[in-house]
Amino acid sequence: MDKSVGLRGYCCFNCRNIVADHNDIINKEFLGIHEKGRGRAFLFSHAINVVEEPPYYIIMITGPHVVSDILCAECGKNLGWKYQRSFREVNKYKEGKIVLVKYNIIKV
Ligand SMILES: [Zn+2]
């Protein structure tokens, strides 16, 4: 029914590299709180054209997590992070998912 599937996405605010597909958004009202970025963010099932940094342990407002920083593969800007592991049951659904902070990406 919707013929425009796959045509919308998000790009890096800095170099306009496409980093995520609109169809991969899980949560558009995700509140991302992290030392690398704070504020509105989108939770994606996966991202493209990004670099995943080595994982590290961090205590977030929602509890302890192991995350990896997500960098733009083109310009190296930090765009968000990926949840590698969550230690609380309520956060388990985030594992393997990617958060891109809203002010780091532009809708295309
Ligand atoms: Zn970039």
Side-chain angles (χ1 to χ4, degrees), residues 49-84:
N49 303 320
V50 294
V51 174
E52 201 176 303
E53 292 280 274
Y56 58 93
Y57 182 83
I58 185 172
I59 308 278
M60 294 184 166
I61 303 289
T62 51
H65 292 85
V66 173
V67 302
S68 297
D69 286 342
I70 292 295
L71 312 182
C72 173
E74 281 296 320
C75 72
K77 288 279 184 190
N78 191 304
L79 303 177
W81 62 91
K82 179 176 181 177
Y83 288 104
Q84 302 288 4

Side-chain angles (χ1 to χ4, degrees), residues 8-70:
R8 291 194 297 161
Y10 293 87
C11 67
C12 168
F13 75 104
N14 188 52
C15 72
R16 306 293 167 116
N17 172 34
I18 297 276
V19 293
D21 190 312
H22 181 81
N23 296 308
D24 293 330
I25 291 180
I26 296 167
N27 187 349
K28 281 180 92 164
E29 304 296 328
F30 195 78
L31 188 61
I33 299 172
H34 184 289
E35 60 195 7
K36 302 266 168 41
R38 177 180 287 262
R40 283 291 174 89
F42 294 155
L43 186 67
F44 290 90
S45 58
H46 67 278
I48 53 173
N49 303 320
V50 294
V51 174
E52 201 176 303
E53 292 280 274
Y56 58 93
Y57 182 83
I58 185 172
I59 308 278
M60 294 184 166
I61 303 289
T62 51
H65 292 85
V66 173
V67 302
S68 297
D69 286 342
I70 292 295

